[in-house]
Amino acid sequence: MSPVREHYNPVITKLLREHDRLPHDKIVERKSFQRQILFLMNAIKLEEFEQSLI
């Protein structure tokens, strides 16, 4: 696993757990967690891509 994944995976896992604990009717809050998770996943992909070019 890449260092960037090792760094962000615990954060993503924590956000996923918090997201899953929310009731389904809390749409705005759930979407906020989803956006944060997607942002971090994109950050991981970008960092790995940049590292592959070096």
Side-chain angles (χ1 to χ4, degrees), residues 4 6-7 9-10 14 20 23 32-33 38-39 46 50 54:
V4 71
E6 287 179 17
H7 176 75
N9 272 351
K14 179 180 174 270
D20 290 347
S32 175
F33 279 108
L38 287 173
F39 176 82
L46 178 61
E50 288 175 349
I54 296 177

Side-chain angles (χ1 to χ4, degrees), residues 2-45:
S2 72
V4 71
R5 282 184 191 258
E6 287 179 17
H7 176 75
Y8 284 119
N9 272 351
V11 177
I12 292 172
T13 301
K14 179 180 174 270
L15 289 170
L16 281 168
R17 285 189 182 123
E18 290 179 32
H19 171 271
D20 290 347
R21 276 190 229 120
L22 285 172
H24 288 282
D25 62 343
K26 300 279 187 175
I27 295 169
V28 173
E29 293 87 347
R30 290 174 67 90
K31 291 221 178 266
S32 175
F33 279 108
Q34 292 168 5
R35 282 191 296 274
Q36 292 175 60
I37 293 164
L38 287 173
F39 176 82
L40 291 173
M41 292 172 72
N42 283 329
I44 290 169
K45 287 292 190 184

Side-chain angles (χ1 to χ4, degrees), residues 45-54:
K45 287 292 190 184
L46 178 61
E47 180 67 26
E48 288 178 338
F49 176 71
E50 288 175 349
Q51 291 299 317
S52 73
L53 298 176
I54 296 177

